[in-house]
Amino acid sequence: MADLVGYTISASSNDGLGPLNGRPMQRSTSFNTRAGASTIATDDIGHDVTRLYGLVETSMMNMPAQQNEAANELRPTEVSRMREMLNQTWESIREWLAAHPSATDRQQAAMHQGQFLTTALHMVCKLMDPPVDVVQSLIDCAEETVTWPDSNGWLPLHHACANGASGKVLSVLVQAYPEGKVQQDKRFRTPLHFAFFRRDAHEDVRMANTADGGGAGGGGSSPADVNRGDDDGDDDDDVGNSMPEIVKLLADSGAAELQDEGGMLPMHYASAYGTTCEVLEVLLENYPESIVKRENKGRNPLHLAMVNAHRKSSPKVVGFLLEKNAADIINTYDDDNHLPIHLLAMASKFPPEKVLERKNAADCLKLYLNSKPKASADFLTAIQTLPEWLRDIAVISDHIQNILNHKIVMRFPTMILILDLFFLILVIVLFEITTGAMIDYLFTEDKNESLRPKTMQVIITLVCGAYFLLREFVQIISLLALGNFGSWLWDMGNWLDVCLIFLVFYFGGVMMSGSMPPVSAEAFREGTALTKGVLWMSVISFLKSAQVEFSVFVSGVFYVVQRLAAFLLALCVILLMFAQMFYIVYAETELCQCGTDNPDASPFPHCTFQNSLLKVYTMLMGEIGNEMRYSTVPVAQFLYFAFAFLVVILLSNVLIAIVTDSYGVIKNERAAMVFWSNRLDFVAEMDAIKNVGKTIKKWVGRGDGAAGAPTRVQEMPNGEPIPIDDAEKLSGGRFRSGWKSIMNLFDPNLYETYDVNPSSFEFWCYVLVRFAAIVFVIPVWLILGLCTAGWLWPPQVREYILKQKKVAISRADMAEQVITQINDLKNDIKKLRVEMKSEMKSDRKEFAQVKAEVEAVQAEVMADLLQVKEIMVTLLDMSRDHLGTAR
């Protein structure tokens, strides 16, 4: 199965026998399969023992092939044709059996083997939903054939399980050969493995068909439903047809513990292909350890369910697995060092039109995050690699926000944030001072050396650039170690940092050189101006990751610009149109000639195309100027009025409406996603750097345990474990308790607690202590913390500055919840309708039975009355004869 990311599951083998529609190659023998015509020719009965096999083989070859899942939904005409062909096949087999009462003939025909060592029983089981009487008759003809494997090692039971045979047929095959339940084919698969190729392994097909009035699509039917469509009024075939009952039938002899050649248990198949919770419960009862077992690639059932998260039943599978044993499977790595969420990220790149697939994947992600996986660097990296539409869902979950809030207030991330801000401000100030001095030097005629920038200032500027270079270098190394370098490449903030580093080093080097710069003075001026713009853009980028309000504003600007693409294109076309028209109207006129004759006079704005374009742009911004300049040319007046109405009035208001609406989307619906996505990037970067640092410490022999492994775990107030370091816990605990003690001095209930009043000595002692705390202790502590980049701050201060409150539910989330509730209500109504129809069907059957019984009684009474009538008539005749004789 391609969905298994590097692992292929298929019921077919290379010899051409597929799981659902495998059939042998066409033979030279041909048979009449025209509807309504018997396939039995009585003149050769008993002479060709291959005829029984040929009947089934011909039917198999005439079945429409399904090459993909979409083909499983057949049109009504195809369903009718298949049903007619299959019914004809079953009737032909019954006719052949009736025409061959000899046990020897039947045994020889049943034991005949065709291509791939298949018998008639194998071929019948490969057809859709074979009747019980046909299967039982073939077994009675030659019981040993039920134990014969074909060239792939498949028993008839394997074929029946893979092709959707009814529970009663499977029960007949199991009763005939109980050991077949644990029989493995050449790829070590049991019939239980094959059962998950069935369509009804994924959902309750009968319920869906009843509710929708047709197949799974509402307008089509699956091949497995072809025969069952004729069973109205007879529910015998429904007994034991549910997937849990089938799995229970196949799994009670140890089949749930057998692995295929890839090390996959039936539990792995069920999780990958999708099934119901009842089926998973049966598998778990038969083999409790299967939920944590790994296949040959190290993947447990949760890995396989997450990589197939787009399937309809996958959310139920993921929910079941996490509910049963989340602790042992949620943080497990496979052999490729992938968590389950890594596989979800790799397999969930669905386009927007795949609405159902996206919804199923999102539901699986929510269930996974609600189980609170460990907040490791790999986990945060996996969140970063999610597609954008899934990452937006992840970052607003409570678990992710708890992790990010906790990690951002730790000393190392806080220190990096403060250092980033400090060096950014320092480089802006020093770059302004040094470049200003350098420009004064370059544009002074005597080139006074005293005007050149101070060497120490330039060196400090280069040190700031070196700091940012070191930050980027360490970030790249850490992401390479986690295998997530792609996230660095696609982050525009990183490229902004690269530009900043290059420009600071380049112009710093120019100012450090004693000679003239390698560029002209004008080029130096323009280049430093652009560099200052990059520096201030870096400030905006920093604030975006620090404050949610600023993040929403900046992201809102980018979001609005993206939504204005069509509007801006139309506006450019209109401006070019009016600029060209104004230019043509005034070209070579007296107004333009006047400007040529008098260079000192103010030139007319439409004498050149460039000036005309600039003028219409300033008119768009509201700088109309002297409107009387168009009074001399009527065409120009018309163009002026048209421009004022179309551009200044109409398009300006359209622009305001678009900007207001687009920014409202960001502010009301995407504010949380925007900010927490930025914070996720920063926290993941800090975690990756710390992970590399711990690895280096381990290499030099100073680390304990695995790289990146915490030595202790802190319990959050909500009971969620967050790993922390010993040093963080030790110092943070002391600082937290110390700050708490100082804050307790300002508790308004302090006097009531200790029963002090202004007349007591204790009261003035408290006042003095409070004064000392306000004037000395708190300011000195905060200043020391600022000087150490937040390292000596108490945790409460870091939390106050950096910790963000969880945002309230957005309108989009509320709408999604309403839609979910409506869908749940629809499903409940659908189930109720199914139950009512089932009860009505049962009532109709009971009524029909009562009616039949009444009719039978009525017929008996009528027969008795007729007998009584005949007796009375006979007696009457006898009495008449007697009277006549007496006379």
Side-chain angles (χ1 to χ4, degrees), residues 863-875:
D864 293 341
L865 289 175
L866 290 175
Q867 290 180 359
V868 170
K869 180 180 178 181
E870 292 176 358
I871 293 172
M872 294 299 295
V873 170
T874 302
L875 291 175

Side-chain angles (χ1 to χ4, degrees), residues 149-212:
D150 62 13
S151 60
N152 295 316
W154 297 2
L155 299 173
L157 182 58
H158 286 84
H159 289 287
C161 289
N163 291 283
S166 67
K168 294 199 70 175
V169 169
L170 298 179
S171 180
V172 168
L173 293 170
V174 167
Q175 290 176 6
Y177 184 44
E179 295 80 3
K181 292 188 289 184
V182 292
Q183 183 78 26
Q184 293 177 290
D185 67 358
K186 291 185 176 180
R187 295 172 62 181
F188 302 101
R189 294 171 297 184
T190 66
L192 183 57
H193 287 94
F194 280 70
F196 296 102
F197 300 137
R198 301 165 58 98
R199 177 176 175 267
D200 53 352
H202 314 142
E203 57 185 72
D204 192 341
V205 178
R206 288 172 296 164
M207 179 176 290
N209 290 341
T210 307
D212 298 336

Side-chain angles (χ1 to χ4, degrees), residues 291-292 300-303 321-322 325-332 340 368:
I291 198 170
V292 297
N300 60 35
L302 183 60
H303 283 92
L321 296 174
L322 293 173
N325 198 344
D328 293 335
I329 61 176
I330 195 169
N331 298 312
T332 304
Y368 182 82

Side-chain angles (χ1 to χ4, degrees), residues 705-727:
T711 53
R712 297 195 185 181
V713 173
Q714 175 177 320
E715 190 76 15
M716 296 297 290
N718 60 358
E720 178 184 349
I722 300 290
I724 60 172
D725 297 327
D726 281 339

Side-chain angles (χ1 to χ4, degrees), residues 82-96:
M82 285 186 64
R83 183 178 298 161
E84 189 174 7
M85 290 176 59
L86 288 172
N87 287 337
Q88 181 62 36
T89 300
W90 309 138
E91 288 303 320
S92 298
I93 294 174
R94 294 185 182 107
E95 290 179 14
W96 190 95

Side-chain angles (χ1 to χ4, degrees), residues 380-381 383-386 391 395 400 404 408 471 475 478-479 484 487-488 490-494 544-545 673-689:
L380 294 178
T381 302
I383 295 294
Q384 281 186 294
T385 59
L386 288 171
R391 188 168 62 249
V395 295
I400 297 297
L404 298 181
I408 196 69
R471 280 272 282 109
Q475 180 184 359
S478 59
L479 292 176
N484 191 31
S487 64
W488 187 93
W490 294 105
D491 189 350
M492 292 297 103
N494 293 326
K544 186 177 69 170
S545 62
M673 298 176 184
V674 168
F675 172 75
W676 291 106
S677 294
N678 294 328
R679 176 149 290 187
L680 170 65
D681 293 337
F682 178 78
V683 169
E685 176 187 346
M686 295 301 102
D687 251 31
I689 294 173

Side-chain angles (χ1 to χ4, degrees), residues 557-574:
V557 171
F558 284 105
Y559 185 82
V560 168
V561 171
Q562 291 175 0
R563 296 302 181 271
L564 286 177
F567 174 84
L568 294 176
L569 179 61
L571 181 62
C572 290
V573 171
I574 292 173

Side-chain angles (χ1 to χ4, degrees), residues 322-583:
L322 293 173
E323 179 184 356
K324 293 298 181 181
N325 198 344
D328 293 335
I329 61 176
I330 195 169
N331 298 312
T332 304
Y333 292 85
D334 65 8
D335 292 347
D336 296 325
N337 203 35
H338 288 149
L339 291 166
I341 195 170
H342 281 105
L343 301 183
L344 174 66
M346 290 187 287
S348 297
K349 295 177 173 59
F350 302 109
E353 57 268 18
K354 296 287 187 178
V355 178
L356 293 179
E357 286 81 357
R358 284 193 167 198
K359 180 182 182 300
N360 295 332
D363 291 342
C364 290
L365 176 63
K366 292 176 183 177
L367 291 169
Y368 182 82
L369 295 178
N370 289 340
S371 298
K372 295 181 173 57
K374 180 182 175 183
S376 63
D378 290 324
F379 171 74
L380 294 178
T381 302
I383 295 294
Q384 281 186 294
T385 59
L386 288 171
E388 184 178 359
W389 57 275
L390 272 181
R391 188 168 62 249
D392 289 342
I393 296 173
V395 295
I396 60 174
S397 69
D398 290 341
H399 181 60
I400 297 297
Q401 291 183 8
N402 286 334
I403 292 173
L404 298 181
N405 269 334
H406 179 79
K407 286 183 173 292
I408 196 69
V409 299
M410 296 177 71
R411 291 186 299 178
F412 181 72
T414 303
M415 181 189 70
I416 296 298
L417 273 177
I418 295 177
L419 288 178
D420 286 348
L421 180 61
F422 172 76
F423 280 105
L424 197 54
I425 294 175
L426 184 61
V427 74
I428 289 174
V429 173
L430 291 177
F431 196 80
E432 174 65 25
I433 295 173
T434 53
T435 55
M438 191 68 181
I439 289 173
D440 291 340
Y441 169 77
L442 293 176
F443 288 90
T444 301
E445 294 182 0
D446 57 358
K447 296 294 186 292
N448 189 352
E449 290 295 329
S450 63
L451 296 178
R452 291 180 68 91
K454 302 295 187 293
T455 302
M456 184 55 65
Q457 294 175 346
V458 178
I459 291 175
I460 297 176
T461 303
L462 293 175
V463 169
C464 295
Y467 167 80
F468 291 113
L469 178 61
L470 178 64
R471 280 272 282 109
E472 292 301 316
F473 182 71
V474 174
Q475 180 184 359
I476 291 173
I477 291 178
S478 59
L479 292 176
L480 284 172
L482 292 174
N484 191 31
F485 181 66
S487 64
W488 187 93
L489 290 175
W490 294 105
D491 189 350
M492 292 297 103
N494 293 326
W495 290 107
L496 179 64
D497 294 338
V498 170
C499 292
L500 182 149
I501 294 167
F502 172 77
L503 292 173
V504 168
F505 273 107
Y506 177 77
F507 288 108
V510 168
M511 291 183 288
M512 280 290 292
S513 63
S515 58
M516 291 294 294
V519 295
S520 65
E522 287 296 334
F524 180 85
R525 186 208 303 266
E526 295 168 358
T528 54
L530 292 177
T531 303
K532 292 174 183 179
V534 172
L535 288 171
W536 285 109
M537 287 178 63
S538 298
V539 174
I540 294 176
S541 178
F542 172 82
L543 294 176
K544 186 177 69 170
S545 62
Q547 290 295 326
V548 61
E549 295 83 3
F550 200 85
S551 175
V552 172
F553 170 75
V554 174
S555 299
V557 171
F558 284 105
Y559 185 82
V560 168
V561 171
Q562 291 175 0
R563 296 302 181 271
L564 286 177
F567 174 84
L568 294 176
L569 179 61
L571 181 62
C572 290
V573 171
I574 292 173
L575 291 179
L576 289 171
M577 175 183 71
F578 277 99
Q580 192 169 20
M581 288 191 295
F582 277 121
Y583 166 68

